């Protein structure tokens, strides 16, 4: 592993110099810019904790290609144990960061490509899988971070990619050369994009015969000529430009993953980095496999985030003297139940995982979609309960600057304190953390990350085997099968 520590990682990002914009200005250094820095810190922590004895083997794995010890974020799952370890790693990291640590998207992308390219080659005699293996070896050796980029701009949602007025609404191949292809388009809401080394692009939907140019997958360095990124705004992000950290709530790691829009302006991709180009029938497999992999995760990272929210609720109740109240204990119990249910389902879909023809394991598809569906509800419910327990002060408290004001500070210390023995500052710090974790972006990510709930409903209905369930009911009710008398 060439990039070993968080500082190695920061240095590598400085050297990379991806073209990134925030608030209309070009960012000189994503590791120090106040808008992007927390997300860099969050990913850097993963590097620092790799090999941490307290985390055991969760963050490392043995490469099936080289036998070397590698970051789990570059590993291809070789067993259901690997799938389970991914979920446990994510819960541990969710607890430590209270945020989105971003590397999972590229990890899921690599696993997706590993199995799907194997199947394409098996059917069509192409050479995508060998290319992917070569690329994977490089990724594992260098220990680079990859941004998985699936969601396109999409334009008019009622129209297929090939029917859009502007064909660039879905990333597409605009030219083919002897040494590679030219691509154009945009990928939206891409987690960790501005602080990743490579961008791995996958199709966002199944493609038809007339959509061959949109059936494209590739991975390129983030600083490739023609790649431009614009960092998305987040709730309360203007506070990052102020002096002080208290008002940020989670100053070290920020809320969720630091998403960006990536524009590809006629970008050249060499053939050795192209993993799908025109074989439209396989586009749907990328989407299905990736969705399963990423939906599997949410009972890991989001359960970890719920753990932090539960701890915050318990602390604020203690500070305010309400921790003994039966309704507060009941709400904390409910939050724990929700977090553990979320986690249980992630574990279940991992234990029920199965090998693909490539040997790479994938989680159970139905259960992975149930995980994500739970996430769209349970994280909101946990957030609602934290708000309930904490009280309105999380949305009305004066700023850190007011706390430091020579005249105002004493009032805030006196009147924002609750129970003796707990200073006002501690109560406000927890309140800000709750505000940060429940104030917008975390919740939206729980709803739409890894696909919107309607996508999960479709998969749940498709894989729920209604015909089999009808048979169960008919049998017990004594109704003959259709066609039988
Ligand atoms: Fe990883 Fe969770 Fe962030 Fe997705 S939302 S990248 S699974 S931490
Ligand atoms: Fe996500």
């Amino acid at each position: 592993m060439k990039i070993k520590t968080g500082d190695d990682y920061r240095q590598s990002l400085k050297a990379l110099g991806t073209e990134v914009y925030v608030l209309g200005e070009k960012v000189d250094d994503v590791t120090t810019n106040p808008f992007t820095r927390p997300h860099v810190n969050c990913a850097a922590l993963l590097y620092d904790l790799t090999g941490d004895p307290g985390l055991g083997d969760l963050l490392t794995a043995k490469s099936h290609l080289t036998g070397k010890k590698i970051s789990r974020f570059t590993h291809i799952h070789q067993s259901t144990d690997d799938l389970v370890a991914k979920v446990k790693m994510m819960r541990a990291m969710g607890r430590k960061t209270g945020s989105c640590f971003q590397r999972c998207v590229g990890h899921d992308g690599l696993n997706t490509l590993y199995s799907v390219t194997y199947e394409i080659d098996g059917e069509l005699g192409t050479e995508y899988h060998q290319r992917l293996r070569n690329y994977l070896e490089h990724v594992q050796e260098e220990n680079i971070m990859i941004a998985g980029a699936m969601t396109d701009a999409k334009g008019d949602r009622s129209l297929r990619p090939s029917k859009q007025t502007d064909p660039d609404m879905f990333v597409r191949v605009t030219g083919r050369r002897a040494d590679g292809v030219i691509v154009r388009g945009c990928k939206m809401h891409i987690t960790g994009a501005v602080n990743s080394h490579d961008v791995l692009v996958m199709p966002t939907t199944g493609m038809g015969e007339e959509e061959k140019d949109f059936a494209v997958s590739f991975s390129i360095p983030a600083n490739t000529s023609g790649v431009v990124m614009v960092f998305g705004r987040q709730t309360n992000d203007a506070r990052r430009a102020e002096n002080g950290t208290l008002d940020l709530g989670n100053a070290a790691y920020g809320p969720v993953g630091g998403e960006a829009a990536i524009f590809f302006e006629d970008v050249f991709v060499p053939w050795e980095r192209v993993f799908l180009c025109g074989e439209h029938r396989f586009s749907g497999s990328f989407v299905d496999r990736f969705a399963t992999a990423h939906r599997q995760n949410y009972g890991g990272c989001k359960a970890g985030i719920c753990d932090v929210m539960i701890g915050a609720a318990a602390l604020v109740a203690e500070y305010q003297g309400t921790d003994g109240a039966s309704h507060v204990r009941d709400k904390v119990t409910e939050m724990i139940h929700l977090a553990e249910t979320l986690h249980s389902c992630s574990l279940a879909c991992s234990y029920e995982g199965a090998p693909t023809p490539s040997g790479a394991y994938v989680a159970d598809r139905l259960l992975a979609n149930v995980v994500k569906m739970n996430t769209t509800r349970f994280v909101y419910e946990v957030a609602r309960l934290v708000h309930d327990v904490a009280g309105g002060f999380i949305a009305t408290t004066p700023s850190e600057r007011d706390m430091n004001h020579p005249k105002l500070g004493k009032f805030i210390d006196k009147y924002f304190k609750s129970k003796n023995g707990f200073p006002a500052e501690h109560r406000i710090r927890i309140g800000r953390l709750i505000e940060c974790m429940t104030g917008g972006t975390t919740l939206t990510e729980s709803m739409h990350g890894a696909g919107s709930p309607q996508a999960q409903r479709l998969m749940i209905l498709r894989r729920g085997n209604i015909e089999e369930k009808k048979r169960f009911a008919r049998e017990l009710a004594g109704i003959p099968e259709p066609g039988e008398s």
Side-chain angles (χ1 to χ4, degrees), residues 100 105 191 259 294 298 301-302 445 449-450:
C100 164
V105 195
T191 299
E259 279 71 24
H294 209 63
Y298 280 53
C301 69
K302 295 292 186 280
E445 213 284 331

Side-chain angles (χ1 to χ4, degrees), residues 447-467:
M447 180 66 74
H448 294 291
S452 303
Q454 192 55 27
Q456 286 110 59
R457 286 183 179 281
L458 281 173
M459 290 298 284
I460 287 169
L461 186 61
R462 198 178 296 161
R463 296 194 171 270
N465 208 342
I466 290 295
E467 290 310 314

